[in-house]
Amino acid sequence: MKKEKLIFGTLGLLGLLFTACDSNDDGTSPENPEAGVESKYIITATPTAAGSEGVADYILTTDAINEGSISTAGNGIEQDGTYRYYITTNNKFFSMLYGQGNPGAVTSYELNAEGSLEKLSDFQSETVQAFAAVDDEILLIKISRNADSPIASWYRFDTNTLQFVAEGQINTQELADKESGELAFFTWITQVGDKVYLPYFTMKGCCSDSFGTIYPNEANIAVYSYPEMEYETTIHDERTSFIGRYFVNGLSVDENGDAYAFSSSVATTNGELSSTLPSAVTRIPSGSTQFDDYYFNIEEASGGLYVTDQVYVGNGKFVGIMASERTSAYASGNQYAIIDVYNQTVTPVSGTPNPETVVLTSSKSNYVSDNKSTVSVGITTETGSWIYNIDVASATATQGKEVVGGTITAISKLDVVE
């Protein structure tokens, strides 16, 4: 294996160590790849065998996700470190370590001509709290939660050259512009046209209530040019609480260029849930930097459920992960529904496990089929972990591949690179 170490000039504060690998790093399952394969599904799973507490995820590859089983035992590529998060963009798979304040490892892969995962890069970057694909780049943001140092640092990573190409800073106290001095904390990143929209909640950043706010009933989205990352304006609304959740995307763009904003209504004050507004959806029309009068009350339409996570499928339809009772600002839901933002309907998905038996859902990374008809999600129950394939048109789920000895954390797909 040939290794080259490069240091990125002005990006030195990242402490990046880039490693290019010529050799193949095989992460295949027992379904060994054969010549002529065109694509593979990528499944990440955390081992659950006895004595495996605190271990890292494994990356598994498979030809199909609608049947059969695959095991974490003796298969896949073991990741270094726990708390891994994933993004697939530009036909590359990126595995990112949440370092809990320390620098974290980032590894990228592609699917070679033999259908095996091949490691492209391995480096360290600052631990970030938001990251998303923007054109052929990944924008990452490390966000301060300290009122004494209210600076968020952003980094642009080129997925073609596999190098960081720019960095900058945002004073989140100035951005929030609150008399109380609260900071803006970005929930996620969404590309809208040629701009980047950063939804945020405001937080005290001090004392015994760092993540608490005295503004629980408002939504804010900071708008930046791209790639310059120059601040343009803030979009504000008081019909919902903040958009998205901590480390959870709440803003998606449809085929018309309209951006739909989901609020879970989970702001907290002094450790208690304090939002008094329902979970709802609002809209920013294409080309606008203002919310219009569109308003969709999710709780009313669903009979009392609220959205914890969602993934856009197409034609105004989302697969929503839903919950019936707010227990914290961070809990993910245990049941599924098709949310139609055009017709303002919520249709429960049948065929998924009893919500009372659900232990974990793969809320951070789910696979949408190429024809936009099916969403594949990972559901772990008290008896095992399976991929469930949700047919959007019929709002029905079918149990697919089982992951033996692991809990599913992400599902994606890569095409072979010739």
Side-chain angles (χ1 to χ4, degrees):
M1 177 180 295
K2 182 181 72 175
K3 296 184 178 180
E4 301 172 4
K5 297 183 179 180
L6 307 176
I7 297 180
F8 293 96
T10 60
L11 299 173
L13 67 90
L14 286 172
L16 295 179
L17 183 62
F18 177 90
T19 305
C21 301
D22 290 336
S23 65
N24 177 53
D25 198 341
D26 193 313
T28 60
S29 73
E31 305 167 77
N32 290 320
E34 300 176 355
V37 67
E38 295 182 353
S39 61
K40 288 277 187 177
Y41 294 94
I42 314 299
I43 304 171
T44 62
T46 305
T48 55
S52 62
E53 292 81 3
V55 300
D57 281 1
Y58 277 73
I59 305 177
L60 310 170
T61 60
T62 182
D63 295 320
I65 55 176
N66 59 343
E67 61 183 0
S69 65
I70 189 170
S71 175
T72 59
N75 297 313
I77 302 173
E78 182 180 6
Q79 302 300 279
D80 55 337
T82 55
Y83 301 107
R84 282 276 175 173
Y85 298 95
Y86 308 96
I87 181 171
T88 301
T89 184
N90 200 14
N91 201 33
K92 298 180 180 71
F93 181 81
F94 294 86
S95 172
M96 311 177 74
L97 175 67
Y98 187 83
Q100 296 183 317
N102 300 312
V106 180
T107 310
S108 65
Y109 302 89
E110 69 179 11
L111 203 63
N112 64 23
E114 288 72 41
S116 299
L117 281 179
E118 182 171 329
K119 185 185 292 186
L120 298 175
S121 64
D122 192 1
F123 57 90
Q124 285 194 324
S125 76
E126 294 285 354
T127 289
V128 298
Q129 291 76 34
F131 57 89
V134 181
D135 294 328
D136 280 346
E137 298 181 342
I138 299 175
L139 177 64
L140 309 95
I141 306 181
K142 179 180 177 63
I143 312 166
S144 171
R145 49 185 90 172
N146 184 349
D148 293 330
S149 181
I151 301 298
S153 299
W154 57 263
Y155 312 100
R156 287 176 39 222
F157 181 82
D158 189 312
T159 61
N160 291 309
T161 64
L162 299 177
Q163 295 185 19
F164 282 90
V165 294
E167 68 177 41
Q169 294 184 331
I170 299 169
N171 187 313
T172 57
Q173 195 168 58
E174 292 180 357
L175 175 63
D177 193 24
K178 298 294 188 184
E179 292 183 1
S180 64
E182 289 194 9
L183 318 180
F185 196 98
F186 306 119
T187 57
W188 210 243
I189 301 165
T190 301
Q191 181 177 3
V192 181
D194 60 354
K195 303 183 187 302
V196 164
Y197 282 29
L198 305 179
Y200 66 85
F201 58 86
T202 63
M203 56 179 285
K204 297 175 184 177
C206 70
C207 317
S208 60
D209 191 28
S210 178
F211 270 92
T213 180
I214 61 173
Y215 310 97
N217 291 324
E218 63 176 43
N220 295 284
I221 301 173
V223 178
Y224 287 82
S225 64
Y226 203 85
E228 302 85 4
M229 284 298 291
E230 294 180 355
Y231 171 77
E232 295 187 355
T233 188
T234 294
I235 307 172
H236 178 82
D237 200 302
E238 297 182 359
R239 293 172 296 169
T240 72
S241 185
F242 63 82
I243 305 306
R245 299 186 300 138
Y246 176 84
F247 221 85
V248 174
N249 179 35
L251 189 68
S252 296
V253 182
D254 74 354
E255 297 85 342
N256 302 317
D258 298 334
Y260 287 86
F262 285 73
S263 173
S264 300
S265 195
V266 290
T268 64
T269 307
N270 297 320
E272 301 291 334
L273 291 163
S274 54
S275 300
T276 60
L277 300 170
S279 178
V281 186
T282 48
R283 180 178 64 192
I284 304 166
S286 177
S288 173
T289 52
Q290 297 292 329
F291 287 101
D292 64 9
D293 61 0
Y294 175 93
Y295 179 81
F296 177 18
N297 187 325
I298 293 290
E299 293 193 44
E300 183 176 68
S302 65
L305 301 179
Y306 77 100
V307 183
T308 65
D309 307 88
Q310 47 74 34
V311 57
Y312 185 58
V313 185
N315 297 315
K317 292 183 174 62
F318 294 76
V319 169
I321 303 179
M322 316 291 287
S324 58
E325 181 181 359
R326 291 177 177 84
T327 56
S328 80
Y330 311 104
S332 188
N334 57 3
Q335 49 194 301
Y336 291 82
I338 305 302
I339 301 172
D340 186 333
V341 296
Y342 293 170
N343 297 304
Q344 299 198 17
T345 59
V346 178
T347 305
V349 171
S350 63
T352 55
N354 185 328
E356 295 182 0
T357 70
V358 174
V359 176
L360 180 71
T361 57
S362 60
S363 59
K364 297 295 186 293
S365 183
N366 294 309
Y367 173 69
V368 179
S369 65
D370 294 337
N371 62 5
K372 308 295 184 182
S373 66
T374 306
V375 176
S376 300
V377 302
I379 303 179
T380 301
T381 69
E382 298 165 349
T383 57
S385 191
W386 288 267
I387 291 174
Y388 279 80
N389 299 299
I390 299 174
D391 180 79
V392 176
S394 63
T396 58
T398 304
Q399 188 182 86
K401 186 173 290 290
E402 179 182 11
V403 174
V404 179
T407 59
I408 300 168
T409 53
I411 307 165
S412 61
K413 187 180 181 182
L414 290 178
D415 295 326
V416 162
V417 175
E418 298 294 340

